[in-house]
Amino acid sequence: AKAQGGKFALLGRTALADEPAAAKGIDGDAQLKGALLNAAKSSGGAMPSPAELGKQVSRILAGREVRATLAAIEAAGAKARYVPVDVNNNAAVNAALDTIRKDWGAITALVHGAGVLADRFITDKTDDQFTFVYDTKVGGLRTLLAATANDPLTAIVTFSSVAGRCGNQGQCDYAMANEVLNKVAAAEAH
């Protein structure tokens, strides 16, 4: 962004929502949980479970990260837009990219950094856990490549991991998905 300017459309699963008033100006996981818990107590409403509290804090921190990334891109002199979309939803990705093309023109570069973890030994991993991890990387790349097939791409960047080459305990799905990304990137480069 600093070197070239340009326009950056960021797609991600995080739904951006306004932060609760209790979270404003509070940093850190434990501090946010405490502030949200105190707000729930003082309002007399239902008390969130630890799991619900953790999810709420995760959403707040993810939203902050997205907003900080957009601000950094714009501070570097480029334009930035965030579109909440699941990279495995073909129709939603196509609709998002159609809007981006309409507003900004053809897509010229693709960076695929989506990834999730569900670390478990292979004997303990469910099919759903495997599919979620594998499809986020591999299915997501497939969706993005199909959606940009008619764009004049000059760069395709994928975020892989050394786990794709060396493996990592509890990450059979993640390792396989990363190695597929490595192979697809090599094929695309060729």
Side-chain angles (χ1 to χ4, degrees):
K2 188 180 272 185
Q4 300 292 327
K7 298 170 187 159
F8 294 78
L10 309 176
L11 282 61
R13 289 184 309 270
T14 300
L16 290 182
D18 291 334
E19 287 187 16
K24 302 280 189 211
I26 308 293
D27 290 322
D29 184 81
Q31 294 82 356
L32 279 167
K33 286 177 182 173
L36 295 171
L37 197 55
N38 287 336
K41 284 179 187 175
S42 65
S43 74
M47 294 300 290
S49 71
E52 291 167 339
L53 204 54
K55 287 179 185 175
Q56 191 175 6
V57 167
S58 291
R59 285 191 298 270
I60 291 167
L61 294 175
R64 288 178 180 179
E65 187 175 333
V66 169
R67 288 182 183 92
T69 300
L70 294 172
I73 291 169
E74 291 182 355
K79 291 185 180 183
R81 173 188 299 178
Y82 179 74
V83 182
V85 65
D86 179 349
V87 75
N88 281 311
N89 183 327
N90 295 333
V93 168
N94 281 310
L97 296 184
D98 285 345
T99 300
I100 290 161
R101 285 185 199 95
K102 184 178 134 243
D103 295 346
W104 286 351
I107 296 163
T108 58
L110 170 64
V111 178
H112 177 49
V116 294
L117 296 174
D119 293 3
R120 305 265 186 303
F121 289 118
I122 194 167
T123 56
D124 300 327
K125 193 175 294 275
T126 68
D127 289 347
D128 287 343
Q129 290 168 333
F130 180 93
T131 300
F132 182 54
V133 171
Y134 187 85
D135 283 356
T136 299
K137 280 202 171 285
V138 177
L141 181 59
R142 183 182 301 118
T143 297
L144 291 168
L145 288 173
T148 58
N150 295 320
D151 286 294
L153 295 179
T154 58
I156 298 172
V157 179
T158 63
F159 280 71
S160 183
S161 168
V162 71
R165 297 294 165 104
C166 303
N168 200 15
Q169 191 171 20
Q171 294 185 339
C172 62
D173 43 11
Y174 188 71
M176 284 187 257
N178 280 294
E179 185 58 10
V180 170
L181 262 59
N182 295 338
K183 299 295 188 201
V184 170
E188 289 290 331
H190 182 71

